[in-house]
Amino acid sequence: MPLVFAGVCSHAPGITGRSDQADPDVRDRFYAAFDQMRVDLEASKPDAIVVIAAEHFANFFMNNMPSFALGMADSYDGPIEDPGWLGIDKHQVPGNRDLSHRFIEQVMHTSDVSYAEEWKFDHGIMVPLHFLTPRYDTPVIPVNINCQGPPLSPLHRSWTFGESLRAACDALPERIAIVGTGGISHWPATPDSGKINVEWDLDFMDRWCRNDRAALLDYDDLTVYADAGQGGFEIRTFISVAAAAAGATGTVHFCEPIPIFAVSCTIASYNISASGI
């Protein structure tokens, strides 16, 4: 079954944990964009959602840091963070071990990946699910791309990984949606925490919407680190979604800085049906 939905969104913990401190007008428009993304996702009637995130040392550490990993379990617990801090209650999120197993087998034909039968979800997955699956009733296949601990995989490998995800979607009978989550520019846990490079974010999203492979891969980590912070390494999740939706063009539904959330809060999706893919 071809891919039925492809989109990206921010996952900063402040989006839920500090919602009361944000400018109400901007916050509410951002939440409205999240709600519309939920409506569009639900309309695609997915049997499972592949959520590509940058896991923040909640499960994988420098003693065991896969470049690409997928979950293979019937359920996952989250958030790993304190619910009072994150603003999201503890949940058991459904998975689908059989579907995940078959999906991973297909991905392995063209990308080398790890898998995990146990996975604690942190804000990178739980914040998007809070908005996109508020009833927590859609099976999730979690995906981690190492965006935290160098050496990081080259960007072209994230593109290839996205193509592998797409090939897996095409090979299976189930309807699969893909959601990538990340910053974009941000400097978490540094003296520059709260800094946002809006111009850089908008330029990146322009490249993403055009699904311009050459432009998306025309970054190096040293420049990204200087211009977008170490949080900017999370463009890998967005790039994988672009590769999975190759042939489609995208629309940015919201991309504005919300300083208390410490990112340019972003919602965007690819027009899968119009592209015929």
Side-chain angles (χ1 to χ4, degrees):
M1 176 68 68
L3 180 70
V4 298
F5 181 90
V8 293
C9 62
S10 297
H11 68 213
I15 292 170
T16 50
R18 296 191 293 273
S19 61
D20 60 326
Q21 301 176 51
D23 180 304
D25 175 65
V26 183
R27 178 202 62 204
D28 291 350
R29 288 190 289 109
F30 175 47
Y31 285 1
F34 245 134
D35 193 53
Q36 185 59 53
M37 188 180 189
R38 176 191 58 77
V39 170
D40 295 340
L41 178 61
E42 290 177 348
S44 73
K45 299 180 179 179
D47 294 309
I49 305 171
V50 173
V51 182
I52 310 172
E55 194 266 352
H56 306 85
F57 298 120
N59 299 275
F60 305 110
F61 302 91
M62 297 311 295
N63 64 336
N64 183 19
M65 181 59 73
S67 296
F68 305 100
L70 293 88
M72 192 174 71
D74 280 321
S75 65
Y76 307 91
D77 293 327
I80 198 168
E81 296 96 341
D82 174 60
W85 176 78
L86 189 61
I88 298 176
D89 291 335
K90 297 284 187 181
H91 292 277
Q92 186 173 83
V93 179
N96 183 322
R97 191 187 189 284
D98 172 69
L99 172 57
S100 299
H101 188 133
R102 290 182 285 116
F103 189 82
I104 291 167
E105 284 183 324
Q106 293 298 325
V107 171
M108 284 179 167
H109 284 298
T110 49
S111 286
D112 294 323
V113 299
S114 301
Y115 65 87
E117 295 187 353
E118 297 180 5
W119 198 308
K120 300 290 187 181
F121 287 177
D122 70 7
H123 66 272
I125 292 179
M126 290 303 293
V127 169
L129 292 184
H130 171 78
F131 292 97
L132 299 178
T133 62
R135 296 181 298 276
Y136 298 93
D137 55 357
T138 304
V140 170
I141 301 176
V143 176
N144 177 59
I145 298 179
N146 172 28
C147 301
Q148 309 299 323
L152 307 177
S153 290
L155 295 182
H156 72 268
R157 294 296 297 157
S158 292
W159 184 276
T160 299
F161 179 59
E163 291 178 327
S164 299
L165 295 177
R166 175 55 186 276
C169 292
D170 291 345
L172 298 179
E174 287 87 355
R175 300 172 63 86
I176 307 295
I178 293 181
V179 175
T181 82
I184 317 168
S185 71
H186 59 305
W187 284 255
T190 73
D192 287 324
S193 181
K195 179 180 177 181
I196 303 170
N197 188 339
V198 181
E199 292 76 15
W200 193 93
D201 293 339
L202 293 174
D203 177 72
F204 175 80
M205 290 310 301
D206 175 69
R207 302 181 194 204
W208 188 87
C209 285
R210 289 186 282 112
N211 209 322
D212 188 332
R213 181 183 184 276
L216 285 169
L217 300 186
D218 188 29
Y219 291 95
D220 65 85
D221 284 338
L222 288 178
T223 303
V224 170
Y225 183 74
D227 294 340
Q230 80 275 22
F233 296 151
E234 291 177 351
I235 60 173
R236 286 166 168 78
T237 70
F238 284 43
I239 287 172
S240 289
V241 174
T249 55
T251 301
V252 173
H253 306 290
F254 191 93
C255 187
E256 295 184 31
I258 302 182
I260 195 63
F261 297 166
V263 293
S264 292
C265 293
T266 303
I267 303 287
S269 62
Y270 282 118
N271 192 351
I272 298 296
S273 58
S275 66
I277 65 173

